[in-house]
Amino acid sequence: MANDASTVFDLVILGGGSGGYAAALRGAQLGLDVALIEKGKVGGTCLHNGCIPTKALLHAGEIADQARESAQFGVKATFEGIDMEAVNKYKDEVISGLYKGLQGLIASRKVHYIEGEGKLSSPTSVDVNGQRVQGRHVLLATGSVPKSLPGLEIDGNRIISSDHALKMDRVPKSAIVLGGGVIGVEFASAWKSFGTEITIVEGLKHLVPVEDENSSKLLERAFRKRGIRFNLGTFFDKAEYTEDGVRVTLADGKTFEAELLLVAIGRGPVSQGLGYEEQGVAMDRGYVLVDEYMQTNVPTISAVGDLVPTLQLAHVGFAEGILVAERLAGLKTVPIDYDGVPKVTYCHPEVASVGITEAKAKEIYGADKVVALKYNLAGNGKSKILKTAGEIKLVQVKDGAVVGVHMVGDRMGEQVGEAQLIYNWEALPSEVAQLIHAHPTQNEAMGEAHLALAGKPLHAHD
């Protein structure tokens, strides 16, 4: 293994999650000599403890709901229950296939892969397995872990994190989900489909609070119809064991009891004890601070992914990792417009968006300069066939470009690709209205919404 002091890599990457491995693959593709250090499995949180396994659970839940509801489509089917052993087998097979593929990519690009727990030892080196790996540049990509609150101990028994939830061998009869953001509502949705009685506790006034308020309200309405209970606007106070479960008390004294408590209040950066501060890297609340090109205050060190205070999304990590690799290879790079990043919450129904909210647009441009239009999926043939409800909401600067696309409904995540082109290419409603969208598709709703915003609605009232 050529990782002694006599070998100097062009790029040494600490962390093999989305941001780290994307930088490794792109860097190697551009001719950089890359060393990638990972203490666990390449692929990181997204592949092993996040995006992929949760979406597998959600799909299993969708199949369960379809079996229960098949009669409305004229199909006679019976739902006999959830076999968690089989569900986990399906989930793990998906992960395993992608993991093997990623390992193959790393090998084929000739990335020097080192398995072990690394620590930044100088502005140009990482120590791992008792050896020092030298580089002209170091990329920090050590990711994140589930967060908790002061005095709330995640014990993996009755009080669990998303990591524990992904490995459960049973379906809980009841659960309290602390946190109504992406992680919380996705687990709430999957478990409800499996048959769990759910109560979500969110301290802010809406579910998925970073989304446009209209999207939050639509999701709340859909969750009520599904029998998912939630308590909004009051913060958590304490949790304690009962005889056969857990009791959660809120700041106003209200209590809830269930078999278990899922703590889903977000994820915090993995940065403690890794040598960052000792080497002079500027930090804030555990996050590594970077400029728009992902460079820290130390010229030879960059950082990407959940470790930096940007959107905690795998595709953001990919983009940040690629940006760093291309910058180091001498290519011209463009900073990421984080408003232009597509966001999808994969609950039932899905919530998808790109761009800014109506409230943010009014704050930036002035209330009289912002136009908002809602297109109800009830007017979309394919959505009618699927029996999904929801809306596409467009936010436009008056006489100008569309600056926000906000969608709620089953499979809306599949429409966010065109939505991000509309936002990022600063498209006018009239320009999108000229494009022909296939009929009958849910994608057609995107075209219909822009037709309406352009002043020539077809399958919608004036």
Side-chain angles (χ1 to χ4, degrees):
M1 178 159 43
N3 68 335
D4 57 277
S6 64
T7 301
V8 179
F9 294 94
D10 294 312
L11 176 60
V12 174
I13 303 169
L14 182 56
S18 301
Y21 86 68
L25 293 175
R26 183 61 176 140
Q29 191 177 49
L30 292 170
L32 300 180
D33 193 10
V34 180
L36 178 62
I37 300 165
E38 168 57 49
K39 69 176 182 179
K41 293 180 177 179
V42 68
T45 295
C46 174
L47 178 53
H48 301 285
N49 300 101
C51 319
I52 300 303
T54 54
K55 278 50 177 184
L57 291 184
L58 283 158
H59 184 62
E62 181 184 0
I63 299 300
D65 288 334
Q66 288 176 347
R68 288 189 192 95
E69 300 162 5
S70 63
Q72 66 180 316
F73 302 102
V75 177
K76 293 181 178 180
T78 57
F79 175 71
E80 297 182 8
I82 300 293
D83 179 348
M84 276 310 297
E85 184 179 350
V87 169
N88 285 329
K89 181 174 182 290
Y90 148 68
K91 167 179 63 73
D92 293 343
E93 284 174 351
V94 173
I95 295 169
S96 178
L98 291 170
Y99 178 46
K100 287 175 183 174
L102 182 54
Q103 287 175 304
L105 272 175
I106 296 289
S108 70
R109 297 276 175 92
K110 303 293 190 292
V111 172
H112 188 81
Y113 185 71
I114 304 168
E115 188 173 322
E117 188 164 356
K119 181 176 181 179
L120 187 67
S121 51
S122 82
T124 55
S125 67
V126 174
D127 287 357
V128 58
N129 300 336
Q131 296 177 303
R132 180 154 293 181
V133 184
Q134 298 278 358
R136 295 179 179 85
H137 201 91
V138 175
L139 175 61
L140 308 177
T142 43
S144 63
V145 290
K147 287 196 297 189
S148 188
L149 294 170
L152 179 58
E153 183 186 351
I154 297 175
D155 57 25
N157 182 13
R158 300 184 200 176
I159 303 176
I160 66 173
S161 71
S162 57
D163 288 351
H164 302 115
L166 287 170
K167 294 175 172 60
M168 289 187 67
D169 59 1
R170 73 185 197 285
V171 176
K173 291 180 180 178
S174 60
I176 299 165
V177 177
L178 180 58
V182 174
I183 298 170
V185 300
E186 287 190 350
F187 273 102
S189 184
W191 278 350
K192 181 62 179 179
S193 296
F194 288 173
T196 305
E197 286 300 314
I198 297 291
T199 301
I200 303 171
V201 173
E202 169 55 55
L204 299 178
K205 65 179 182 177
H206 285 297
L207 297 180
V208 288
V210 300
E211 296 289 347
D212 188 271
E213 188 172 326
N214 185 66
S215 294
S216 295
K217 289 179 177 178
L218 288 170
L219 180 64
E220 288 160 14
R221 185 189 307 166
F223 270 20
R224 283 191 199 99
K225 287 183 178 179
R226 292 186 62 195
I228 296 175
R229 295 184 294 270
F230 47 87
N231 192 92
L232 305 174
T234 306
F235 286 98
F236 168 89
D237 180 35
K238 63 180 179 179
E240 54 197 337
Y241 274 20
T242 61
E243 187 176 333
D244 54 1
V246 64
R247 179 187 300 116
V248 167
T249 304
L250 303 188
D252 61 1
K254 190 182 293 185
T255 62
F256 301 92
E257 292 191 19
E259 181 182 326
L260 57 79
L261 168 64
L262 170 63
V263 181
I265 59 169
R267 299 179 65 87
V270 175
S271 58
Q272 292 300 308
L274 296 177
Y276 298 169
E277 290 172 299
E278 291 88 334
Q279 300 307 321
V281 176
M283 302 179 72
D284 179 35
R285 295 171 295 115
Y287 290 99
V288 172
L289 300 179
V290 292
D291 64 13
E292 59 187 351
Y293 295 99
M294 315 314 297
Q295 191 160 7
T296 71
N297 62 310
V298 180
T300 55
I301 300 175
S302 295
V304 297
D306 288 359
L307 181 61
V308 302
T310 56
L311 293 170
Q312 289 188 330
L313 298 168
H315 43 289
V316 167
F318 295 150
E320 291 172 346
I322 290 168
L323 188 155
V324 169
E326 293 183 346
R327 171 168 59 80
L328 295 178
L331 301 184
K332 183 180 179 182
T333 54
V334 177
I336 295 166
D337 174 6
Y338 290 98
D339 287 334
V341 172
K343 303 189 292 291
V344 185
T345 304
Y346 295 87
C347 49
H348 165 49
E350 290 183 350
V351 180
S353 66
V354 66
I356 59 177
T357 64
E358 181 181 358
K360 185 68 175 177
K362 288 178 176 178
E363 185 182 311
I364 295 171
Y365 301 105
D368 60 332
K369 294 290 194 294
V370 174
V371 178
L373 178 136
K374 299 174 186 176
Y375 179 82
N376 197 309
L377 293 183
N380 176 255
K382 188 60 180 287
S383 295
K384 204 83 169 175
I385 290 166
L386 294 171
K387 290 186 177 289
T388 186
E391 289 179 354
I392 292 179
K393 176 180 175 178
L394 304 179
V395 180
Q396 176 200 15
V397 177
K398 195 172 184 180
D399 300 323
V402 173
V403 295
V405 181
H406 306 277
M407 302 173 282
V408 177
D410 289 339
R411 306 188 186 183
M412 283 297 104
E414 301 303 324
Q415 308 312 317
V416 85
E418 182 178 8
Q420 72 149 334
L421 294 178
I422 291 166
Y423 171 86
N424 285 297
W425 288 350
E426 301 178 350
L428 301 174
S430 58
E431 292 171 329
V432 182
Q434 291 177 30
L435 303 174
I436 298 172
H437 294 74
H439 174 77
T441 62
Q442 286 186 290
N443 181 238
E444 186 181 16
M446 185 72 72
E448 294 270 357
H450 283 82
L451 279 166
L453 193 54
K456 49 180 183 180
L458 186 58
H459 296 99
H461 297 290
D462 293 343

